[in-house]
């Protein structure tokens, strides 16, 4: 997973480390204690410590050096969908950690790798959420799936319903997408396969009302979780965004999950920003990670939204969701 991002990062680390290593080292003298053997009057050999001066070769990195060697970093990472803001942060961290530092020959790469890992870890450092704990708190809980057309909302909703069922929670699905043709049938098919009820109205119905009915149904039957589908919308479509605001106002979801297709690359950030500004995103789910090796969009969205990444979609089957773990992601790409 994320092979492309890994390739780009390792190329950048290698090029920075090599360029620093190539700089002529400064010779520095340091005092060290050395064990020497001495014979005393009786001819007995004794071990004593003496101070000796040792020469070491060090690299001192200047601001100018780093500017020169990070020029291609931006372009390389952009190819892996890493947004400008993320690259800038990585550059700043490199400066903070390397400029003026005296680094021993052969140890530059380790320091560069450590700096990269720390930067990524800081970017991904948002308080995690535990879905099971959230749905345990309120009955019924409402999970709302939102996002761009075709991002994988309906599929992800079905995967999450399957995950919750497997963890002992009862579920009902709300056909909140009454807009796209066949959207209701698609959800009903998932309902049949998962053996979960689907609450629907007709096409063209008010999405907020469908979800409201599903909540009433769940309340009456003691169901734990309502998973509500919504129509896909371009984040730039004002009417559809207003409809989404209404859905939230009427139903007050417990978790608004923004579903992002990882294949959209650099468009992930503007999408995330617009949905967050419109209704406030609580968590993000990235889909189609199985067919996208880039992975940079995850870093870009995490840095922009500072919201937890709940799951990664890694295939078309119900079981193809993976809990996102920042440490695992970093180990994967570094
Ligand atoms: N390979 C892959 N395909 C996915 C994943 N998630 C969704 N899809 C596919 O993406 C397409 C659109 O999904 P859908 O759930 O209908 O998107 P929606 O319009 O946002 O509801 C479908 O063909 C899904 O099978 C994923 O994680 N991996
Ligand atoms: Mg859909």
């Amino acid at each position: 997973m994320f092979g492309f991002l890994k390739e780009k990062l390792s190329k950048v680390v290698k090029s920075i480390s090599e360029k620093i290593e190539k700089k002529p080292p400064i010779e520095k003298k340091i005092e060290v204690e050395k064990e020497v053997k001495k014979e005393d009057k009786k001819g007995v050999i004794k071990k004593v410590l003496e101070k000796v001066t040792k020469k070491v070769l060090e690299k001192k990195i200047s601001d100018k050096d780093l500017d020169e060697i990070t020029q291609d970093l931006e372009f390389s990472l952009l190819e892996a969908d890493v947004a400008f803001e993320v690259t800038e942060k990585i550059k700043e961290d490199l400066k903070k950690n390397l400029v003026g530092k005296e680094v021993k020959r052969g140890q530059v790469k380790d320091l560069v790798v450590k700096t990269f890992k720390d930067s990524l870890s800081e970017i991904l450092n948002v308080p995690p959420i535990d879905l099971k704990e959230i749905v345990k708190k309120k009955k019924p809980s409402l999970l709302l799936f939102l996002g761009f057309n075709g991002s994988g909302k309906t599929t992800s909703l079905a995967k999450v319903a399957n995950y919750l069922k497997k963890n002992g929670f009862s579920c009902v699905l709300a056909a909140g997408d009454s807009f796209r043709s066949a959207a209701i049938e698609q959800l009903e098919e998932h309902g049949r396969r998962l053996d979960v009820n689907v609450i629907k109205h007709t096409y063209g119905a008010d999405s907020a009302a469908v979800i409201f009915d599903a909540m009433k149904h769940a309340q009456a039957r003691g169901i734990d979780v309502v998973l509500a589908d919504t129509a896909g919308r371009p984040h730039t479509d004002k009417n559809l965004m207003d409809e989404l605001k209404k859905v939230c106002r009427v139903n007050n979801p417990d978790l608004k999950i923004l579903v992002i297709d990882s294949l959209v690359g650099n468009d992930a950030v503007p999408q995330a920003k617009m949905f967050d500004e419109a209704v406030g995103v609580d968590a993000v789910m990235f889909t189609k990670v199985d067919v996208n090796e880039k992975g940079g969009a995850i870093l870009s969205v995490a840095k922009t939204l500072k919201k937890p990444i709940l799951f990664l979609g890694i295939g078309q089957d119900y079981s193809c969701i993976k809990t996102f773990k920042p440490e695992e992601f970093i180990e994967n790409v570094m």
Side-chain angles (χ1 to χ4, degrees):
M1 225 181 269
F2 310 120
F4 190 81
L5 178 61
K6 183 178 178 168
E7 195 187 297
K8 290 287 164 193
L9 281 169
S10 82
K11 204 180 111 198
V12 168
V13 167
K14 190 164 171 255
S15 117
I16 295 175
S17 317
E18 279 176 2
K19 281 176 191 161
I20 297 175
E21 288 288 2
K22 261 194 214 140
K23 265 172 64 80
I26 313 160
E27 199 178 285
K28 202 177 163 192
K29 287 180 179 148
I30 55 167
E31 289 226 309
V32 287
E33 289 202 324
K34 199 177 172 194
E35 213 175 62
V36 287
K37 288 173 183 168
K38 278 192 175 169
E39 254 178 74
D40 60 19
K41 282 177 207 154
K42 289 176 192 160
V44 180
I45 292 176
K46 283 205 301 188
K47 281 182 186 166
V48 289
L49 287 173
E50 262 184 14
K51 285 225 184 314
V52 291
T53 307
K54 200 179 149 195
K55 282 182 201 159
V56 288
L57 294 173
E58 281 189 340
K59 312 273 176 183
K60 193 156 182 172
I61 305 152
S62 74
D63 221 345
K64 192 167 152 280
D65 292 333
L66 212 66
D67 276 339
E68 279 167 21
I69 59 186
T70 52
Q71 266 168 5
D72 58 344
L73 181 142
E74 215 167 281
F75 184 68
S76 268
L77 295 188
L78 196 66
E79 282 184 298
D81 297 340
V82 177
F84 177 73
E85 292 83 2
V86 175
T87 316
E88 280 301 293
K89 182 192 162 35
I90 294 177
K91 269 179 157 175
E92 263 170 41
D93 290 351
L94 275 173
K95 274 195 180 172
K96 227 173 6 198
N97 289 310
L98 298 181
V99 172
K101 290 273 160 65
E102 289 167 356
V103 190
K104 292 217 175 65
R105 220 173 168 169
Q107 290 182 358
V108 177
K109 193 173 171 209
D110 287 349
L111 185 63
V112 175
V113 168
K114 189 183 175 305
T115 303
F116 265 77
K117 280 189 174 175
D118 289 349
S119 306
L120 298 188
S121 159
E122 235 179 81
I123 290 166
L124 295 171
N125 181 21
V126 281
I129 50 169
D130 183 342
L131 186 61
K132 286 176 272 178
E133 290 307 314
I134 291 173
V135 297
K136 248 186 231 164
K137 271 191 210 143
K138 210 180 116 216
K139 192 170 174 166
S141 303
L142 175 60
L143 310 183
L144 188 74
F145 291 78
L146 44 119
F148 200 77
N149 305 319
S151 59
K153 292 175 296 300
T154 310
T155 311
S156 301
L157 178 154
K159 287 177 183 176
V160 174
N162 180 54
Y163 167 88
L164 288 171
K165 262 194 85 181
K166 286 223 151 74
N167 282 283
F169 298 97
S170 53
C171 300
V172 64
L173 314 183
D177 181 0
S178 52
F179 185 72
R180 210 202 68 201
S181 67
I184 299 177
E185 287 78 8
Q186 187 193 2
L187 197 69
E188 281 183 313
E189 181 56 30
H190 285 305
R192 259 190 299 280
R193 288 195 213 160
L194 293 167
D195 193 21
V196 170
N197 274 340
V198 177
I199 305 302
K200 60 169 183 177
H201 288 187
T202 50
Y203 283 100
D206 180 8
S207 182
V210 181
I211 298 168
F212 188 82
D213 277 358
M215 286 298 278
K216 286 274 162 277
H217 172 96
Q219 262 157 16
R221 286 161 207 239
I223 289 166
D224 299 314
V225 192
V226 175
L227 296 99
D229 200 10
T230 60
R233 57 205 78 216
H235 46 294
T236 46
D237 186 322
K238 188 172 179 303
N239 288 345
L240 281 172
M241 280 313 233
D242 284 345
E243 188 200 76
L244 193 61
K245 284 182 194 168
K246 184 180 170 194
V247 164
C248 294
R249 207 166 50 237
V250 172
N251 295 292
N252 195 19
D254 299 289
L255 199 68
K256 283 162 277 177
I257 303 170
L258 175 64
V259 180
I260 301 182
D261 176 344
S262 56
L263 293 170
V264 300
N266 284 308
D267 199 38
V269 169
Q271 273 186 29
K273 270 189 190 161
M274 293 285 271
F275 278 101
D276 192 39
E277 277 160 20
V279 294
V281 167
D282 301 309
V284 182
M285 181 161 173
F286 277 95
T287 61
K288 308 179 200 178
V289 171
D290 52 312
V291 285
N292 176 25
E293 289 286 297
K294 290 193 172 181
I298 293 181
L299 290 171
S300 310
V301 171
K303 171 112 176 51
T304 313
L305 284 195
K306 305 216 175 330
K307 297 286 161 62
I309 295 160
L310 192 56
F311 291 115
L312 301 179
I314 52 165
Q316 314 230 14
D317 293 339
Y318 293 137
S319 58
C320 293
I321 57 171
K322 195 172 167 5
T323 304
F324 180 78
K325 295 194 182 106
E327 329 78 64
E328 211 177 279
F329 177 84
I330 295 167
E331 279 312 310
N332 240 319
V333 299
M334 289 305 299

